[in-house]
Amino acid sequence: MEEIEGMEVLKSHLGLTSKSSGANPTAEEVENNDLSDKSVSNEIEEDLEDELSGADFNIDFDVNGVEDIWKINLKNMSIKDVMKYHFLNVEVAFMFYNWYAGIRGFAARKSKILRNKNGEATQQTFLCYRQVYREEKVGSSSRKREPKAQTRCGCEVNCRVHIEITIGRWYIKYLNDCHNHTLVDEKYLGMLPAHRKITDYDKFQMDNMRKVGIRTTHMFRLFAHQAGGYDKVGFRQRDVYNEVAKDKRSDFSDAGAALEFLATMSCSDEMLFWRHSIDENGRLQHLFWCNGVCHKDYEVFWDVLAFDATYIKNMYLCPLVVFSRVNHHNQSIVFASSIAGNEKEETYVWLLVMLVEAMRGKALTSVITDGDKAMINAIKRVLPNSHHRLCVWHLLCNAATNISNTRFIPKFKQCMLGYYEIDEFEQKWENLIAEFGLQGKTWVLDMYGKHNMWAASHIRGNFFVGFMTTSRCEGLHSFFGRYVNYENNLLEFLQHFFCAMSYTRYKEVEADFSSS
């Protein structure tokens, strides 16, 4: 069988290779061609009726699927030759005609269906994509966005297929191929909707790429790389966005899908712990989770904990709270995580209660946070026996905000981090306040009231695994930000988050191998 030029492109769902034959015809040529075409079609129809009366179709012209269509060279075929083919069903007939349309420089669409008294389809009409005219919409003429381009021009090209009841085969009964518009150049055919198609395998690839956090614009770039160019992909970037959006809408409830995802994971991870709460309107409010690996890490490194909240990118802009520490390789590890509805004291109380419950009541020895008042009060209520340290970096930032004198910051830092005896610290603090005239300033009084949470002289003797700041938490947030983005709903957020967690475990395995 002769190979069709551009077969690889055709197999990429475009169904197109050849350019249209010539420029737009004149009105006189259109009229003459129309009369000629109709006479030819009538002759062919009469011949077919004679051939079909009591006779079987020629097996050489069987078309039973897309594989058979690919083998046919329609580029220089006459209308009489095209009408010799017969088809397994009406769907195969439409694929054939749309393939033929791509070769000629236009696209096909389906129209009327004729049925018998039993409701069975006996005839189907296929049209040129520019058939009839666009209907004017009734209503307000104001429009927020620009109107779409006019594509309908009343083109009367059509193809009518009919079924031969005796043998159940479909054949072309009438074919009019005289257009009243310029045919599309080959390089533009892939832009027509009828020649764009996302296959099941393409959807499978998109689903996998979504689960690992690949953005939609990067998906299209990958498809173009695999196909050998953007023009060979078989669909447009807009189609990818539409397909991704359709998958998101298919989830009846985002929150329900997220909870179902965690329930499914618990089947393969018996130690997976997850809890959620709902608000007065019945909507998901807080979600807490930790898997089996997190439990094992906590059993070994349970004594020190750092946690912080950040508005990491997600569809709902909910704060992500990560409870973390470092392992024996000085790598950040995660004990548990949560998406919280807000940053109120009661929220942090609920999160810490869930953490203690997940870790079977094994309380922490030391905690370091950024100094948020709600966090401080929650830790006092849930972990009263834990040593709480405030982040040095946040304290210095607050000092710079509240004290305008730049010479204050280095002396305050020296007072905060110096390992002095208690009496010596008290004296240095009094001297610092007197030097800058800060007696009675609210921020200074508040800071001194919490000096046992930041002054090295008072913290000395408590273990914080070298933590003086929450920069580890912020580094983790930055890391997770590579896997999630503002387009992610709750289900996608969890999928991408666990993917990121898996990578951190892999890095630990690498470090174990190097140290061994």
Side-chain angles (χ1 to χ4, degrees):
M1 182 63 68
E2 180 182 356
E3 291 292 328
I4 303 175
E5 182 181 359
M7 179 63 74
E8 293 303 321
V9 177
L10 296 177
K11 289 186 177 181
S12 301
H13 329 300
L14 298 179
L16 41 107
T17 53
S18 302
K19 297 183 180 179
S20 60
S21 57
N24 192 24
T26 64
E28 183 179 357
E29 290 174 339
V30 169
E31 184 177 357
N32 293 335
N33 289 339
D34 187 35
L35 294 173
S36 174
D37 181 70
K38 287 182 179 179
S39 62
V40 171
S41 297
N42 291 334
E43 291 177 6
I44 296 172
E45 186 175 340
E46 293 174 359
D47 292 343
L48 282 173
E49 288 178 352
D50 294 338
E51 292 177 8
L52 294 173
S53 57
D56 292 336
F57 288 103
N58 190 333
I59 193 172
D60 294 333
F61 297 98
D62 278 355
V63 179
N64 298 317
V66 67
E67 294 82 4
D68 294 335
I69 297 174
W70 284 341
K71 299 175 183 178
I72 303 172
N73 185 358
L74 296 170
K75 185 175 181 180
N76 299 314
M77 193 174 291
S78 66
I79 293 178
K80 185 173 182 179
D81 291 333
V82 170
M83 296 182 69
K84 292 180 180 179
Y85 289 93
H86 49 87
F87 315 98
L88 177 66
N89 52 46
V90 69
E91 288 77 17
V92 175
F94 179 73
M95 284 192 295
F96 175 87
Y97 183 66
N98 197 41
W99 179 280
Y100 169 81
I103 296 294
R104 296 301 174 100
F106 68 101
R109 60 186 180 87
K110 297 179 181 179
S111 183
K112 299 177 182 178
I113 300 178
L114 184 65
R115 299 181 184 275
N116 58 20
K117 61 181 180 180
N118 297 324
E120 300 170 338
T122 59
Q123 184 172 286
Q124 170 84 67
T125 301
F126 307 137
L127 307 175
C128 172
Y129 78 112
R130 303 195 69 175
Q131 180 73 278
V132 303
Y133 294 92
R134 178 191 293 175
E135 296 181 1
E136 294 294 335
K137 293 185 178 180
V138 179
S140 176
S141 60
S142 61
R143 188 180 176 93
K144 293 183 179 180
R145 57 182 180 181
E146 294 182 5
K148 294 182 179 179
Q150 287 278 3
T151 56
R152 304 293 178 87
C153 64
C155 180
E156 296 184 356
V157 165
N158 65 86
C159 172
R160 188 163 63 249
V161 294
H162 193 80
I163 187 172
E164 175 60 31
I165 300 297
T166 57
I167 58 176
R169 301 289 296 185
W170 289 77
Y171 65 94
I172 300 175
K173 188 173 183 180
Y174 174 77
L175 179 61
N176 174 12
D177 200 27
C178 185
H179 300 264
N180 67 349
H181 57 88
T182 304
L183 299 179
V184 179
D185 192 88
E186 179 184 347
K187 63 182 178 182
Y188 302 128
L189 282 172
M191 303 294 176
L192 298 179
H195 295 307
R196 305 199 315 256
K197 182 180 179 182
I198 298 179
T199 65
D200 291 338
Y201 181 69
D202 294 332
K203 295 176 182 178
F204 173 75
Q205 282 189 295
M206 289 181 195
D207 186 55
N208 283 336
M209 286 188 277
R210 282 178 56 208
K211 289 179 180 178
V212 297
I214 297 178
R215 301 189 180 188
T216 308
T217 181
H218 298 160
M219 292 182 190
F220 189 65
R221 190 186 305 172
L222 178 58
F223 281 120
H225 176 73
Q226 293 175 338
Y230 288 98
D231 57 325
K232 297 181 177 61
V233 173
F235 46 86
R236 302 170 68 180
Q237 186 168 351
R238 181 187 300 174
D239 299 323
V240 181
Y241 277 99
N242 291 341
E243 184 64 31
V244 171
K246 186 174 75 172
D247 289 343
K248 290 181 179 181
R249 290 193 299 269
S250 65
D251 296 330
F252 178 77
S253 168
D254 184 25
L259 298 178
E260 184 178 352
F261 170 76
L262 292 173
T264 303
M265 285 196 62
S266 64
C267 297
S268 57
D269 184 357
E270 296 180 354
M271 297 183 69
L272 178 69
F273 179 94
W274 57 279
R275 295 287 186 273
H276 72 280
S277 66
I278 56 177
D279 59 16
E280 60 276 5
N281 297 320
R283 296 176 300 185
L284 182 67
Q285 187 177 29
H286 312 308
L287 180 61
F288 176 96
W289 68 88
C290 62
N291 59 14
V293 178
C294 294
H295 280 95
K296 294 177 181 178
D297 285 340
Y298 189 87
E299 289 293 327
V300 180
F301 307 109
W302 62 276
D303 47 356
V304 179
L305 172 72
F307 77 96
D308 190 13
T310 183
Y311 283 87
I312 198 166
K313 292 179 180 179
N314 60 68
M315 182 177 292
Y316 307 108
L317 296 179
C318 295
L320 171 70
V321 181
V322 178
F323 301 91
S324 62
R325 191 197 189 270
V326 293
N327 60 12
H328 50 300
H329 297 296
N330 201 33
Q331 297 173 329
S332 295
I333 56 175
V334 176
F335 290 148
S337 309
S338 173
I339 293 180
N342 54 63
E343 295 185 81
K344 298 179 180 180
E345 179 180 332
E346 293 303 321
T347 298
Y348 288 120
V349 168
W350 185 85
L351 294 179
L352 291 172
V353 168
M354 292 300 102
L355 178 65
V356 174
E357 180 184 347
M359 303 308 173
R360 301 179 179 86
K362 194 171 186 178
L364 300 159
T365 301
S366 304
V367 181
I368 181 169
T369 68
D370 61 4
D372 181 78
K373 187 175 181 180
M375 287 185 181
I376 294 175
N377 294 336
I379 291 172
K380 287 180 179 179
R381 291 170 57 181
V382 182
L383 305 171
N385 298 321
S386 299
H387 305 295
H388 186 187
R389 181 171 188 169
L390 303 182
C391 172
V392 171
W393 184 83
H394 283 89
L395 291 176
L396 293 175
C397 289
N398 291 336
T401 302
N402 290 275
I403 308 300
S404 58
N405 195 326
T406 56
R407 294 188 299 110
F408 174 81
I409 306 302
K411 293 190 176 183
F412 172 64
K413 182 178 180 181
Q414 183 181 10
C415 187
M416 178 171 50
L417 300 180
Y419 285 98
Y420 307 114
E421 296 297 331
I422 300 298
D423 294 339
E424 187 177 0
F425 166 78
E426 297 292 341
Q427 185 61 48
K428 285 185 174 294
W429 179 257
E430 291 180 5
N431 294 339
L432 179 64
I433 301 305
E435 179 181 352
F436 292 93
L438 301 176
Q439 298 87 345
K441 189 172 179 61
T442 303
W443 180 83
V444 173
L445 296 176
D446 181 60
M447 284 300 300
Y448 183 76
K450 298 184 290 188
H451 65 276
N452 60 337
M453 301 170 67
W454 54 264
S457 300
H458 290 268
I459 293 176
R460 186 167 49 187
N462 300 320
F463 181 60
F464 287 94
V465 73
F467 282 1
M468 290 192 295
T469 69
T470 57
S471 59
R472 286 278 183 172
C473 298
E474 293 161 3
L476 274 174
H477 293 152
S478 177
F479 168 74
F480 288 125
R482 304 173 195 168
Y483 287 79
V484 297
N485 58 73
Y486 66 91
E487 297 177 348
N488 299 144
N489 57 28
L490 190 56
L491 173 61
E492 292 173 327
F493 185 93
L494 289 176
Q495 292 172 337
H496 300 169
F497 186 88
F498 277 102
C499 181
M501 287 280 292
S502 177
Y503 180 73
T504 62
R505 304 305 178 191
Y506 170 72
K507 297 300 292 183
E508 182 177 337
V509 172
E510 278 189 335
D512 286 339
F513 170 74
S514 298
S515 63
S516 66

